[in-house]
Amino acid sequence: MSMKWTLYYQFWQIRRAASPSASFSARLESDLKQRTGHMMWWIPIGRIAVGLVSVSILVSGATGVYAYNSDTVTLGHPLYGVRNMLEQVELKTALQAKNRENILQKHRLRHERSIRRLQK
Amino acid sequence: MDKKYFPHFYKENVKRIFRFFFFRVSGRREIAEDLTQDVFVKAFNAFESYDPETSRSAWLYMIARNHFINHLEKTKPGVSLEELEHLPMGTVDWATILSKKYDTARVLDAIESLPEEDKTLVRLKFLEGWGYADIAEVLGKSAATLRVKTHRALKALRAILKHL
């Protein structure tokens, strides 16, 4: 590492060590909060939005995986539409004819399993 | 400026103001925290007179500087403004205070041995984290000039570190 970057790194280390503690920042923030009376402005809206988006991505991803893989998702199940949609997407994104055949075969086997399950 | 924008202003500047005091009170965290708190309360009360169009964070820097002068007048009567700008950092055991390696303390010692103007520039820019526009406003010089001077100061600092 060149001396220039070493020096920048050392500046960064110093700045980090000379930063206010989290407890102090929280205390000061809370003190200022009481003075502002604008409580909402202190809520880190950006962080909440990122958190909510991440959670919804995770939940919808997990739901999709479950709907696609589970044999219990049969006609009448609330996730049946999701499963159908994912199967359609999978089929449409298959570039080669051989792949499409394999996918169709996989779907066929899965549907047969579902029908057997419904007949029980 | 409307006080509803204060939280953003606070978040943008709290670290800089804390460091401003931290390096001037020889790394005594409790004093730096008290002074930082006072400055933000003052800034909050006067926030309606703050105009980001004419002054960026330098407005807050001036509040911090004036507050520190008042603090020094109480604790060390007779200290001048010039002395305040060049308060020595070198007499402090930074390695212990910052709980850092020898190298970091060596950098702070090297900064201390720079000429006054270079020392101020390096401290404001790289230790406290002010932007060139803010430093320009505080020191009454153009940002472009300060950029060149800071570059030279860094070069001098590297030369000192080579020989330490």
Side-chain angles (χ1 to χ4, degrees):
Chain A
M1 206 176 2
S2 80
M3 186 155 180
K4 184 181 167 186
W5 292 109
T6 310
L7 189 57
Y8 282 143
Y9 176 65
Q10 284 164 341
F11 284 146
W12 175 78
Q13 277 190 315
I14 294 169
R15 276 201 304 273
R16 208 172 60 147
S19 289
S21 67
S23 62
F24 165 71
S25 300
R27 220 171 42 239
L28 179 54
E29 234 178 79
S30 145
D31 177 35
L32 293 168
K33 239 187 242 180
Q34 284 173 350
R35 286 167 199 269
T36 55
H38 295 283
M39 300 293 279
M40 284 305 289
W41 285 98
W42 291 90
I43 297 172
I45 292 165
R47 276 188 213 168
I48 291 173
V50 169
L52 283 176
V53 168
S54 311
V55 168
S56 39
I57 288 172
L58 276 174
V59 168
S60 46
T63 309
V65 168
Y66 173 76
Y68 180 79
N69 287 310
S70 175
D71 289 341
T72 59
V73 179
T74 54
L75 196 65
H77 192 283
L79 295 177
Y80 187 69
V82 176
R83 176 181 165 162
N84 266 348
M85 190 191 70
L86 289 172
E87 284 179 350
Q88 289 301 315
V89 170
E90 189 185 20
L91 206 59
K92 280 182 181 163
T93 50
L95 295 174
Q96 292 168 346
K98 197 182 168 191
N99 282 354
R100 269 195 295 276
E101 270 171 38
N102 288 339
I103 290 167
L104 276 172
Q105 175 66 10
K106 191 169 72 178
H107 290 175
R108 205 172 297 129
L109 289 171
R110 197 185 292 155
H111 282 269
E112 280 171 13
R113 280 202 305 273
S114 299
I115 289 163
R116 275 202 298 275
R117 182 174 269 273
L118 279 171
Q119 284 170 344
K120 274 182 190 174
Chain B
M1 200 171 185
D2 196 319
K3 282 185 178 175
K4 68 184 180 185
Y5 297 110
F6 193 76
H8 176 72
F9 181 77
Y10 161 80
K11 283 196 187 296
E12 206 175 73
N13 291 293
V14 64
K15 285 183 181 172
R16 292 171 183 166
I17 293 299
F18 178 83
R19 288 179 195 135
F20 170 91
F21 291 123
F22 183 84
F23 290 112
R24 284 168 177 78
V25 296
S26 311
R28 282 171 292 180
R29 277 189 174 269
E30 281 178 15
I31 301 175
E33 285 179 358
D34 288 347
L35 294 169
T36 304
Q37 175 142 8
D38 294 344
V39 163
F40 276 100
V41 170
K42 275 187 180 179
F44 175 75
N45 291 333
F47 199 58
E48 271 151 10
S49 68
Y50 167 64
D51 180 7
E53 295 290 317
T54 54
S55 168
R56 286 155 50 89
S57 305
W59 176 76
L60 191 61
Y61 181 93
M62 297 313 262
I63 295 178
R65 196 165 76 154
N66 291 338
H67 189 66
F68 192 57
I69 292 169
N70 294 339
H71 167 78
L72 280 185
E73 272 170 2
K74 283 181 201 155
T75 52
K76 293 178 188 171
V79 70
S80 70
L81 193 63
E82 196 168 330
E83 278 174 298
L84 166 71
E85 290 297 345
H86 308 300
L87 276 180
M89 303 192 304
T91 51
V92 178
D93 181 10
W94 288 108
T96 310
I97 290 168
L98 298 175
S99 314
K100 289 283 163 191
K101 291 178 291 185
Y102 169 67
D103 262 8
T104 321
R106 202 172 65 109
V107 172
L108 288 165
D109 289 342
I111 293 171
E112 189 54 31
S113 60
L114 284 170
E116 291 300 345
E117 194 184 19
D118 290 358
K119 186 163 60 180
T120 306
L121 280 176
V122 170
R123 189 164 65 181
L124 289 171
K125 176 69 189 153
F126 298 106
L127 300 189
E128 293 173 20
W130 299 95
Y132 283 113
D134 300 316
I135 303 173
E137 207 183 322
V138 168
L139 301 181
K141 290 177 181 167
S142 82
T145 309
L146 289 178
R147 212 178 282 269
V148 174
K149 285 190 178 202
T150 310
H151 179 73
R152 282 191 202 134
L154 273 187
K155 213 170 162 183
L157 184 64
R158 285 202 293 271
I160 293 169
L161 282 167
K162 264 185 196 167
H163 294 103
L164 269 181

